[in-house]
């Protein structure tokens, strides 16, 4: 089976509705299915999935494509990985298949970082790495962990990596741009090197840690580069993604050392923010991993604050995270070292809901001798309880408040209802901020005629024959390109399924976008020869008008009266239809 046939076979044997509904809930409305779009901050279902066409489209952000596109974008994986994943679902063997390599403009940068990684790894395993290995051993990082996380070492030399990479043909400007050099010197000098990966597991940065008594900053991280945007990545995502499928939940930590330590006791479904502040991009990545999220940050005040802030970010996305509250200012790394696997297992097993953690945190600053403080605290707790959908949990919270502060349960319940009613009246800020429907570009009658012909080229041979016979010249380059590609595809493969075109156009986003717009046209399924000819007449008139404009411009620029007369006569004949 060749590459095209295999891809087409996999696509045809998996149903897009079944696949997408395994990621997000879908509800049938008419012949299509609708769900909340996972590719933007969506609150109202704006993604439509067509079983008949085997494609999806979001009417807010414009995301569209076939089953491969959805899985690639949702999972943040390559086409090859999406093909393998869906082939497994379809029970089709793809082992040994060699797909065309996906080249990107950033490919040289990935290769550069791969060379740097191998260089650092090799350094650690030479005599230069003795002290660094001893340090790691004291931190209870053994050879297996070093190998699993590709830990390496930068040398004391000021330019060892620069020499290696410039000898390989990379310029100093490129090294500086990618954060590997500065002023012709290595960025990282005498540091233990921890690689940072992108969502697909490619090395895109480093964090270098001092291990001697240097007074330099403990950690030095790669700056923002064309391939490293810290706020758009999660450390260990590419590994956690597979583990989460099995364990069904994800643990979010602050630093990569926390993740490394957790992995040593069997927790590979763990990611790190590489900081305390969670970006919207990171929150969406976490949501795509799992709806069951456990936050495990440091046990100090900064860690508790990070838990509260990041918990709110996840709540805004409709998640109900749980929290592991570490004691005695522990961070996850040192807690696991000191207390061991069983104690950490118990913390995971008994993680509390974020709302309960927040209520506990609110109480820390309450002056129990102040009636005002107590009243404010009670109102804050009731506001949190109003967000909880579990009636039993809400009742427990209210009963605890009633008992602790000697207040009537009925009073608290009435206050809860008041808060809920106000919340219903208040406009939903999140809904206001939701992306507006993506505006369609204004189209001329010529564009609409071209798009209509393309629409019917997808459905009937007679439209294809008309396109070929008349050599129709569409108004825009994208329309001409799309028409030509559809004609070529039909001629090459003998048949055409719309969903397969999205795979065919995976490297041509402009054509995929135009194809989506064409499919959104409110046109009837069947068209007569006469109606098709009417669309063709509009395209012919476009070409005629363009030729007239060209000749009129030539007349303006022409100085010879006789030549002007010749051009004017050509225009007259064109308009009469005799030329």
């Amino acid at each position: 089976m060749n590459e095209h046939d295999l891809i087409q076979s996999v696509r045809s044997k998996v149903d897009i509705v079944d696949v997408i509904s395994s990621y997000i809930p879908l509800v049938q409305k008419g012949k299509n299915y609708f769900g909340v779009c996972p590719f933007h901050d969506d609150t109202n279902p704006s993604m439509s999935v067509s079983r008949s066409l085997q494609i999806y489209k979001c009417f807010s952000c414009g995301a569209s494509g076939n089953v491969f596109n959805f899985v690639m974008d949702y999972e943040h994986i390559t086409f090859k990985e999406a093909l393998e994943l869906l082939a497994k679902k379809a029970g089709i063997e793809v082992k040994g298949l060699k797909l065309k390599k996906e080249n990107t403009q950033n490919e040289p940068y990935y290769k550069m970082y791969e060379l740097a990684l191998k260089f650092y790894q090799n350094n650690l395993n030479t005599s230069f790495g003795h002290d660094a290995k001893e340090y790691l051993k004291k931190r209870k990082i053994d050879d297996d962990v070093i190998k699993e996380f590709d830990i390496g070492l930068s040398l004391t030399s000021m330019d060892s990596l620069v020499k290696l990479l410039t000898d390989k043909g990379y310029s100093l400007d490129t090294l500086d741009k990618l954060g590997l050099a500065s002023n012709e010197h290595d960025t990282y000098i005498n540091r233990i090197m921890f690689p940072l990966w992108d969502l697909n597991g490619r090395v895109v940065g480093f964090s270098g840690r001092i291990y001697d008594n240097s007074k330099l900053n403990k950690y030095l991280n790669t700056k923002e580069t064309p391939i490293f945007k810290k706020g758009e990545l999660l450390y260990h995502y590419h590994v956690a993604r597979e583990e989460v499928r099995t364990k069904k939940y994800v643990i979010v930590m602050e630093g990569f050392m926390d993740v490394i330590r957790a992995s040593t006791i069997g927790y590979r479904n763990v990611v790190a923010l590489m900081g305390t502040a969670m970006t919207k991009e990171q929150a969406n990545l976490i949501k795509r991993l799992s709806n069951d999220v456990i936050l495990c940050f440091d046990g100090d005040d900064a860690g508790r604050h990070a838990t509260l802030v990041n918990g709110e970010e996840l709540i805004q996305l409709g998640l109900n995270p749980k929290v592991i509250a570490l004691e005695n200012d522990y961070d996850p790394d040192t807690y696991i070292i000191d207390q061991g696997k069983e104690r950490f297992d118990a913390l995971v097993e008994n993680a509390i809901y974020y709302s309960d953690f927040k209520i506990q945190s609110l109480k820390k600053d309450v002056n129990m001798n102040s009636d005002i403080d107590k009243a404010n605290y009670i109102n804050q707790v009731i506001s949190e309880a109003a967000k909880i959908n579990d009636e039993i949990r809400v009742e427990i919270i209210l009963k605890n408040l009633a008992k602790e502060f000697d207040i009537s349960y009925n009073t608290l319940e009435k206050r809860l209802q008041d808060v809920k009613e106000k919340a219903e009246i208040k406009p939903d800020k999140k809904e206001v901020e939701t992306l507006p429907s993506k505006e369609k570009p204004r189209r001329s009658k010529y564009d609409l005629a071209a798009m209509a012909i393309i629409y019917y080229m997808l459905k009937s041979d007679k439209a294809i024959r008309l396109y070929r016979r008349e050599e129709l010249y569409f108004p825009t380059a994208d329309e001409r390109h799309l028409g030509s590609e559809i004609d070529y595809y039909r001629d090459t493969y003998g048949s055409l399924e719309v969903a397969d075109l999205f795979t065919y156009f995976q490297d041509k986003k402009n054509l995929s976008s135009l194809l989506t717009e064409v499919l959104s046209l409110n046109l009837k399924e069947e068209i007569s020869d006469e109606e098709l000819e009417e669309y063709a007449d509009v395209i012919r008139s476009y070409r005629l008008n363009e030729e007239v404009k060209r000749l009129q411009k030539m007349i303006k620029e022409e100085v010879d009266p006789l030549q002007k007369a010749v051009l004017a006569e050509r225009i007259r004949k064109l308009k009469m239809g005799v030329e």
Side-chain angles (χ1 to χ4, degrees):
M1 189 183 295
N2 62 35
E3 178 183 323
H4 174 266
D5 290 344
L6 172 66
I7 293 169
Q8 196 173 44
S9 178
V10 171
R11 206 275 309 152
S12 64
K13 287 191 177 180
V14 292
D15 181 74
I16 193 169
V17 173
D18 293 339
V19 172
I20 293 182
S21 63
S22 71
Y23 291 100
I24 60 172
L26 294 178
V27 176
Q28 186 171 8
K29 294 180 182 178
K31 65 179 182 179
N32 290 337
Y33 295 76
F34 290 83
V36 172
C37 177
F39 304 123
H40 76 278
D41 194 4
D42 194 13
T43 53
N44 297 315
S46 57
M47 175 176 282
S48 172
V49 185
S50 169
R51 176 164 270 156
S52 59
L53 294 177
Q54 289 292 301
I55 61 173
Y56 68 92
K57 173 179 170 59
C58 175
F59 294 102
S60 285
C61 71
S64 61
N66 61 14
V67 69
F68 293 118
N69 300 115
F70 183 89
V71 172
M72 287 165 64
D73 290 342
Y74 193 99
E75 297 272 12
H76 292 283
I77 56 179
T78 63
F79 176 76
K80 182 175 183 292
E81 290 170 321
L83 175 63
E84 290 171 345
L85 187 153
L86 292 169
K88 188 175 180 181
K89 285 181 181 288
I92 297 174
E93 178 66 51
V94 296
K95 191 175 181 181
L97 176 73
K98 292 185 178 179
L99 296 175
K100 287 185 291 185
K101 191 163 184 180
E102 298 174 36
N103 286 317
T104 70
Q105 61 181 3
N106 293 328
E107 197 63 37
Y109 303 156
Y110 297 128
K111 289 180 179 177
M112 184 191 309
Y113 263 93
E114 193 62 35
L115 286 170
L117 174 68
K118 290 177 180 176
F119 175 69
Y120 291 143
Q121 286 177 302
N122 183 65
N123 293 341
L124 188 61
N125 291 313
T126 66
S127 58
F128 297 113
H130 177 269
D131 291 347
K133 273 204 166 183
E134 285 299 310
Y135 170 84
L136 290 170
K137 193 180 294 183
K138 288 177 183 176
R139 291 289 304 269
K140 299 189 182 301
I141 296 177
D142 60 23
D143 287 343
D144 289 338
V145 177
I146 289 171
K147 184 176 180 180
E148 180 179 349
F149 287 89
D150 296 334
I151 299 170
L153 175 70
S154 59
L155 301 178
T156 55
S157 167
M158 298 288 285
D159 58 0
S160 55
L161 182 64
V162 165
K163 285 180 178 177
L164 172 71
L165 293 177
T166 52
D167 286 347
K168 295 286 185 181
Y170 294 103
S171 69
L172 285 170
D173 285 345
T174 302
L175 296 183
D176 183 83
K177 180 180 178 181
L178 270 291
L180 291 173
S182 179
N183 297 322
E184 301 185 13
H185 294 140
D186 292 0
T187 298
Y188 300 98
I189 297 170
N190 198 30
R191 288 176 179 267
I192 294 174
M193 302 298 290
F194 297 88
L196 308 175
W197 301 278
D198 68 7
L199 303 177
N200 293 315
R202 294 173 297 202
V203 179
V204 292
F206 290 102
S207 183
R209 194 197 194 287
I210 59 171
Y211 62 96
D212 52 16
N213 294 320
S214 170
K215 294 182 179 179
L216 297 171
N217 289 337
K218 186 186 292 185
Y219 287 100
L220 178 62
N221 297 326
T222 296
K223 66 182 182 180
E224 295 269 308
T225 72
I227 60 173
F228 179 69
K229 312 287 184 188
K230 190 177 80 166
E232 298 175 8
L233 303 176
L234 290 168
Y235 180 79
H236 205 236
Y237 178 95
H238 64 295
V239 174
R241 180 176 61 206
E242 302 303 321
E243 289 290 316
V244 170
R245 287 198 184 108
T246 303
K247 293 192 174 179
K248 307 301 182 187
Y249 69 94
V250 60
I251 301 176
V252 181
M253 295 180 172
E254 179 182 332
F256 60 83
M257 281 304 303
D258 300 322
V259 171
I260 292 172
R261 183 64 57 206
S263 76
T264 65
I265 58 169
Y267 288 92
R268 289 182 171 80
N269 55 327
V270 184
V271 296
L273 303 178
M274 296 183 286
T276 56
M278 182 187 296
T279 65
K280 286 190 179 297
E281 290 83 1
Q282 289 175 323
N284 277 303
L285 286 172
I286 291 166
K287 182 180 180 181
R288 290 187 205 175
L289 281 174
S290 177
N291 287 326
D292 293 323
V293 181
I294 298 176
L295 300 177
C296 182
F297 295 114
D298 295 356
D300 58 11
D301 288 341
R304 285 190 290 272
H305 176 72
T307 301
L308 290 169
V309 172
N310 296 326
E312 291 298 327
E313 192 70 47
L314 296 176
I315 291 287
Q316 289 296 311
L317 288 180
L319 299 178
N320 187 16
K322 290 184 176 181
V323 174
I324 292 174
L326 295 176
E327 60 195 36
N328 300 329
D329 292 352
Y330 270 121
D331 57 50
D333 177 24
T334 53
Y335 183 91
I336 292 170
I337 291 174
D338 290 353
Q339 303 297 324
K341 173 177 166 54
E342 288 187 8
R343 290 286 297 274
F344 189 78
D345 287 346
L347 290 179
V348 174
E349 186 69 27
N350 296 296
I352 62 174
Y353 283 106
Y354 169 77
S355 53
D356 294 330
F357 174 82
K358 186 173 182 180
I359 289 170
Q360 291 175 12
S361 299
L362 290 171
K363 194 173 182 180
K364 289 182 181 295
D365 299 323
V366 177
N367 179 0
M368 289 300 175
N369 294 317
S370 167
D371 289 342
I372 293 176
D373 270 19
K374 287 191 288 187
N376 287 338
Y377 168 69
I378 291 168
N379 282 321
Q380 286 177 315
V381 172
I382 289 173
S383 294
E384 286 304 310
K387 302 173 187 176
I388 299 172
N389 292 323
D390 187 332
E391 292 181 1
I392 295 175
R393 284 185 60 213
V394 171
E395 185 171 341
I396 291 171
I397 290 170
L398 295 186
K399 283 184 175 179
N400 287 340
L401 278 178
K403 182 178 180 181
E404 184 176 2
F405 293 96
D406 193 22
I407 296 177
S408 164
Y409 179 87
N410 291 337
T411 300
L412 297 174
E413 189 175 39
K414 183 178 183 305
R415 178 62 179 150
L416 177 68
Q417 292 305 317
D418 290 342
V419 171
K420 285 185 174 181
E421 287 172 9
K422 286 181 181 178
E424 288 174 3
I425 296 171
K426 188 177 179 181
D428 186 352
K429 181 182 177 185
K430 190 173 177 61
E431 186 172 327
V432 172
E433 293 176 348
T434 298
L435 282 173
S437 292
K438 195 168 186 179
E439 286 188 22
K440 294 179 182 177
R442 295 176 69 87
R443 297 292 189 183
S444 68
K445 67 176 183 179
Y446 304 117
D447 289 318
L448 293 174
M451 291 166 66
I453 291 173
I454 291 171
Y455 180 88
Y456 289 111
M457 287 173 69
L458 297 169
K459 297 177 177 294
S460 71
D461 288 335
K462 64 183 177 184
I464 291 279
R465 289 195 297 270
L466 172 72
Y467 173 80
R468 292 173 180 171
R469 184 179 69 248
E470 298 291 336
E471 296 182 350
L472 294 175
Y473 186 83
F474 296 146
T476 70
D478 280 348
E479 289 162 1
R480 293 191 291 273
H481 194 180
L482 181 56
S484 175
E485 290 285 10
I486 291 171
D487 182 28
Y488 173 81
Y489 189 98
R490 178 70 72 93
D491 187 52
T492 303
Y493 299 112
S495 62
L496 186 153
E497 292 287 340
V498 169
D500 292 324
L501 282 180
F502 281 99
T503 302
Y504 186 64
F505 294 148
Q506 65 175 308
D507 296 325
K508 299 167 183 168
K509 298 299 182 185
N510 56 326
L511 297 190
S512 294
S513 178
L514 180 57
L515 177 61
T516 300
E517 189 178 348
V518 166
L519 292 169
S520 299
L521 294 174
N522 189 23
L523 297 174
K524 59 185 182 180
E525 290 299 302
E526 300 292 334
I527 187 171
S528 67
D529 292 346
E530 292 76 15
E531 289 170 320
L532 204 53
E533 277 295 334
E534 288 176 6
Y535 285 125
D537 284 341
V538 175
I539 299 302
R540 294 187 195 102
S541 69
Y542 165 78
R543 194 162 191 177
L544 184 147
N545 289 338
E546 289 299 300
E547 179 63 10
V548 168
K549 287 178 185 177
R550 188 182 72 84
L551 293 173
Q552 287 173 336
K553 183 180 178 183
M554 290 176 66
I555 288 175
K556 285 183 179 179
E557 296 170 352
E558 184 59 62
V559 293
D560 184 348
L562 291 176
Q563 190 59 36
K564 281 190 175 188
V566 171
L567 293 171
E569 178 62 15
R570 282 193 64 191
I571 291 174
R572 186 184 71 82
K573 288 182 176 180
L574 281 171
K575 290 183 175 180
M576 291 177 62
V578 295
E579 182 175 309

